Amino acid sequence: HPSADDDSTFFALAANGTGSSLHRPHFAPWSEHARPARFVDHVLRAEDSPVVGMFPRRELRLAKRIYAVATDGQIKASEAEEYAKRVSNEAIDGIIPRDGARAYTMFSGHEDAQVFLASSGGKAIVFDASEIRSQGLRAQGVRGIQLDDDHTLVGAFAIEEPEVVLVTAHGYVKRMLLDEFRPQGR
């Protein structure tokens, strides 16, 4: 049995940009015969979208901001407390992807962090998260990286370490110091 301060609630973001809270009863105990619950069975408007980001609610209470990113390079910053206080199954818009785009991921970070975004065309950008003002839950977001027409976003995170390991679509691996990326404006 969980203790009174044990919060087993998660906030999950689906690829269509819809997010919702998931609670412990939604997760069947793992066993050979258990029937796993589907995210879409618990969240309105999720259709058959896969989950692309998930945060324990207790982690949301510690974070300052949550960043949601779409495959077209758009990024949205919201105050983490906006997500942490959502405990119902109400579906909310984590990010509203533009035509043909999907939500890519969510990550946490402080307002003074730097953000790294990478494209399928091999381009990357590092910029100060303070360039993105916090927006309400229903906001669409702003452009984080300019992408060519046939490219998509393939990486996004708040910088926490001095280096990054990049992996190409063909399996090549390269380790780079993040200082090699000149911080610039979105």
Side-chain angles (χ1 to χ4, degrees), residues 13 43 56 66-67 69 74 82 91 111 115 121-122 150 180:
L13 177 69
V43 180
I66 297 297
Y67 299 90
V69 186
Q74 124 195 31
E82 289 293 321
E111 190 173 340
V115 174
D150 55 341
E180 294 181 39

Side-chain angles (χ1 to χ4, degrees), residues 56-117:
R57 195 172 87 173
R58 63 181 164 267
E59 183 179 322
L60 288 171
R61 281 192 233 118
L62 300 174
K64 177 68 176 150
R65 293 172 104 191
I66 297 297
Y67 299 90
V69 186
T71 57
D72 65 354
Q74 124 195 31
I75 185 169
K76 180 180 132 183
S78 299
E79 297 301 315
E81 67 187 31
E82 289 293 321
Y83 292 94
K85 64 184 177 185
R86 300 287 176 164
V87 293
S88 69
N89 285 6
E90 169 195 10
I92 61 171
D93 294 321
I95 189 166
I96 304 171
R98 295 183 178 104
D99 295 333
R102 311 230 348 129
Y104 175 72
T105 194
M106 290 175 69
F107 57 90
S108 63
H110 292 282
E111 190 173 340
D112 60 351
Q114 289 189 314
V115 174
F116 179 92
L117 302 177

Side-chain angles (χ1 to χ4, degrees), residues 18 21 31 40 68 108 113 117 136 159:
T18 300
S21 293
S31 75
V40 298
S108 63
L117 302 177
I159 296 173

